[in-house]
Amino acid sequence: MRVLVTGATGQLGFEVAGVFRRAGHNVITPDRRELDLLHPDHAATVVRNLQADWVINCAAYTQVDKAESEAETAFIVNRDTLKRLAQAVADYGGCLLQVSTDFIFDGKQHRPYLETDQPNPLSVYGRSKLEGEQAVLQVLPEAVVLRTAWVYGVRGHNFVKTMLRLAMAGKPLRVVDDQIGTPSWARDIAAAITSLVAGEAGGVFHFTNAGETSWHGFACAILEEAAQAGFDIKTEAVSPIPTSSYPTPAVRPAYSVLSTEKIRPLLDAPIANWRASLKNMLQELYTCADCW
Ligand SMILES: NC(=O)c1ccc[n+]([C@@H]2O[C@H](COP(=O)([O-])OP(=O)(O)OC[C@H]3O[C@@H](n4cnc5c(N)ncnc54)[C@H](OP(=O)(O)O)[C@@H]3O)[C@@H](O)[C@H]2O)c1
């Protein structure tokens, strides 16, 4: 099968390209110079010419805070170009999987969000991703939209690496403890994507690792698991702070745990707990010289 993976220089795209390659598929990974989502006509032409059986769109404008002042760019990349890509895929009869986010919800619920719960994004990024989902499904109703959350991986920039760098330098850490979600390893999300593709599923799905925690809980776990993996952690403790003490340009949902009930029967294996996956990722990161 011919699989086009966008965003392969990012955390998730890297893992998605890897898992399809290991399964023996013909994987094409154009970078931003070859397929620039800021240019809808160009991007649609590239996708149309490549004629992949599946297009897995892991590329996105992902800078949540910067999006507040760069709304036009965020909407072009996350909505307008996506609509054109979906149209191109529909025209030649291919399949499309679009990756989306927990930030389409407002976080006011107190139970895990179902795929059918009402979205209400609080930020420009969240709105651009939601309108991207809607644009895809309008053009290609059989497309897959996979929402995930709190992504980290061995490649790319993420919270895990930021905490590690600071903790190895012995810096004091203050992390918010009133935003709850589920840290999710890009490797596990990539495996879920292969299951959806193999099962020829369509529609909206949620996938994260199992369980939930706060950013503070996540940071504490990173330091503990990193020390066990062999990293030289010099920071002894992480101070919990409220979101009000760490203002950011974009408002984030206070609670964005996603229910994985719908996707579970389609997966090849039970969903790993977030902490078990964090442990595995840190062990791999410890031995990876070119992951930083
Ligand atoms: N990170 C999270 O916590 C999180 C949570 C929920 C959902 N998601 C979603 O998961 C998906 C993957 O996220 P990620 O964390 O893997 O993102 P990431 O590490 O920030 O990578 C983003 C990718 O998109 C590419 N990209 C950005 N702008 C582009 C453009 N104009 N044209 C072409 N490529 C462009 C980047 O290329 P360059 O390397 O050239 O910049 C990079 O390969 C996204 O849809 C995101 O919205 C992420």
Side-chain angles (χ1 to χ4, degrees):
M1 188 167 70
R2 199 167 154 81
V3 185
L4 167 58
V5 180
T6 65
T9 54
Q11 311 191 77
L12 182 58
F14 174 81
E15 296 292 347
V16 171
V19 75
F20 277 102
R21 273 201 188 107
R22 288 191 292 278
H25 297 293
N26 173 11
V27 180
I28 314 154
T29 54
D31 65 16
R32 188 196 283 254
R33 285 166 306 166
E34 296 158 319
L35 199 171
D36 190 346
L37 298 182
L38 259 176
H39 300 288
D41 289 342
H42 148 87
T45 303
V46 172
V47 168
R48 193 172 279 114
N49 289 343
L50 288 171
Q51 299 262 314
D53 301 299
W54 272 89
V55 176
I56 315 287
N57 185 35
C58 299
Y61 183 104
T62 55
Q63 296 174 79
V64 176
D65 288 316
K66 213 169 164 194
E68 295 298 312
S69 54
E70 286 192 350
E72 197 184 339
T73 307
F75 276 100
I76 291 173
V77 173
N78 291 347
R79 179 194 61 196
D80 303 342
T81 302
L82 193 54
K83 184 168 185 175
R84 298 290 305 281
L85 293 195
Q87 190 59 60
V89 174
D91 289 347
Y92 73 75
C95 304
L96 173 69
L97 185 147
Q98 165 63 12
V99 181
S100 194
T101 171
D102 55 329
F103 281 20
I104 62 142
F105 293 117
D106 62 16
K108 299 202 168 113
Q109 233 172 241
H110 300 288
R111 57 148 177 88
Y113 279 92
L114 298 169
E115 287 80 353
T116 47
D117 282 327
Q118 185 62 38
N120 183 29
L122 303 174
S123 62
V124 167
Y125 167 75
R127 280 205 304 283
S128 71
K129 293 292 290 183
L130 175 62
E131 292 184 24
E133 289 185 7
Q134 292 164 341
V136 164
L137 291 172
Q138 195 188 1
V139 173
L140 200 57
E142 61 275 29
V144 183
V145 170
L146 181 69
R147 297 181 187 141
T148 188
W150 295 29
V151 179
Y152 64 90
V154 288
R155 304 286 170 150
H157 307 286
N158 54 57
F159 182 77
V160 175
K161 288 182 177 176
T162 302
M163 289 298 112
L164 270 178
R165 277 197 196 94
L166 294 169
M168 287 192 289
K171 303 275 188 208
L173 293 175
R174 299 162 70 241
V175 179
V176 298
D177 70 347
D178 53 1
Q179 287 173 34
I180 307 296
T182 310
S184 299
W185 188 17
R187 180 81 45 86
D188 295 337
I189 305 168
I193 287 175
T194 60
S195 298
L196 289 176
V197 166
E200 296 183 1
V204 181
F205 291 89
H206 290 172
F207 179 87
T208 62
N209 279 121
E212 60 182 66
T213 187
S214 66
W215 287 106
H216 175 261
F218 189 21
C220 293
I222 292 165
L223 267 54
E224 286 167 27
E225 297 294 351
Q228 282 191 22
F231 287 95
D232 183 14
I233 299 298
K234 298 195 178 79
T235 301
E236 282 178 9
V238 185
S239 308
I241 55 166
T243 297
S244 54
S245 299
Y246 189 74
T248 51
V251 179
R252 275 121 171 114
Y255 178 89
S256 64
V257 177
L258 301 178
S259 166
T260 53
E261 226 169 276
K262 182 180 173 190
I263 200 172
R264 258 183 264 150
L266 303 176
L267 301 177
D268 298 329
I271 300 179
N273 182 269
W274 68 266
R275 183 139 182 165
S277 285
L278 173 66
K279 188 184 198 69
N280 288 335
M281 179 272 192
L282 285 168
Q283 284 171 350
E284 187 170 319
L285 188 62
Y286 185 68
T287 56
C288 180
D290 63 344
C291 287
W292 291 87

